[in-house]
Amino acid sequence: MQFVDEAVIEVTAGDGGNGLVSFRREAKVPLGGPDGGEGGRGGDVVVVADERTVTLLDHRYRRFYKADSGAKGGGNNRSGRAAEDLVIPLPLGTVVTDAATGEVIADLTEGGQRVVVAKGGRGGKGNAHFVTPTRQAPRIAQEGEKGEARTLELSLKLVADVALVGLPNAGKSTFIRAVSKSQAKVGDYPFTTLVPNLGVVRVDESTFVIADIPGLIEGASEGRGLGDRFLKHVERTRVLVHLVSLSPEAMDPMKAWETVTAELEAHSPELARRPQIVVLSKLDLVEDRYEIELWREAFRHKGVEVHAVSALTQENLTPLLRLIARYLVAVTPEAGDGDQGWSPV
């Protein structure tokens, strides 16, 4: 299935049914009064967070959504039938924004969450409603109200506990495959990962969701490479795991770390302050392990503690996953928003 994380749709709620002009016509009631009923309510347009939906692909091909209108009023003071609501399932994590005003209408973060994005029109009143002492036989009725119409921008932000970030070829896809059942594509060339991947990690008694975010390059926050299209997927996560490749062909580890950190800061200073675990990846490619100690010391001078792992041989993976689990326990909701009141337990 193709992963699509942005779409624009147009929604129109149903119109209210018209009220009816009607008079009683019974043989034994020659002077029957007005008995026109009111119209039914138009259907609302409702978005719902559906955990079985993982992409906005459907909404690239279907842009227009219109709810049914209410039925017109009937005689004998009968109200018209109200229309059913039109329900649009969206992936968990979708942000719905009014394209005209920029107002965020819905942020679907919980399964089953429902939000009305366009209100159906009210039914018009029938002529029975307009009877007064001086007007006993009104021949007027209201038309139903028009339903709301809106253009909506849909933006999917993955809901995950942990985000893997790093330059292309930092080893993120190999890492997520090694620690979860994700089927992320692996390859030794830039931008192997073209879409975010999710994996569920279980270590000891802990379970958490990890997201593999496509590699960032210098200028990504301004749209270079895969650009800032995927940076938004990092925003909901509570902990960042920053992979830095030890491959001889890769960028200098310190320069690589500084490049990605600068892009996170440029995208969102709040995001850059999020708890971050720096991991030297591809440990299996390092012949002289003394090199690892040199890099530990270099990062320590920057105030950064680093961990070295190999996803290929799974060396040091379990201790790292346990550390991530402890970070997630320690990070309070407030700290996850960028505060510094956290520490790993």
Side-chain angles (χ1 to χ4, degrees), residues 177-262:
R177 288 189 64 160
V179 302
S180 73
K181 293 185 178 181
S182 168
Q183 296 301 308
K185 184 179 179 182
V186 176
D188 189 22
Y189 51 91
F191 302 122
T192 300
T193 301
L194 298 178
V195 300
N197 295 298
L198 290 179
V200 178
V201 178
R202 294 179 177 85
V203 57
D204 301 330
E205 301 300 317
S206 300
T207 301
F208 53 88
V209 177
I210 192 165
D212 166 21
I213 306 300
L216 305 177
I217 65 172
E218 189 170 4
S221 61
E222 300 172 355
R224 289 191 58 202
L226 293 179
D228 58 358
R229 175 182 172 188
F230 297 117
L231 275 168
K232 66 181 180 181
H233 292 298
V234 185
E235 294 174 359
R236 295 190 192 276
T237 57
R238 294 184 286 154
V239 172
L240 307 182
V241 173
H242 187 160
L243 295 188
V244 180
S245 175
L246 290 171
S247 169
E249 296 80 18
M251 182 186 292
D252 172 89
M254 183 64 70
K255 173 64 175 174
W257 173 75
E258 291 174 342
T259 297
V260 173
T261 299

Side-chain angles (χ1 to χ4, degrees), residues 3 5 44 54 70 88 102 104 226 268 334:
F3 180 85
D5 60 359
D44 296 336
V54 296
I88 304 174
V104 174
L226 293 179
S268 166
E334 290 79 16

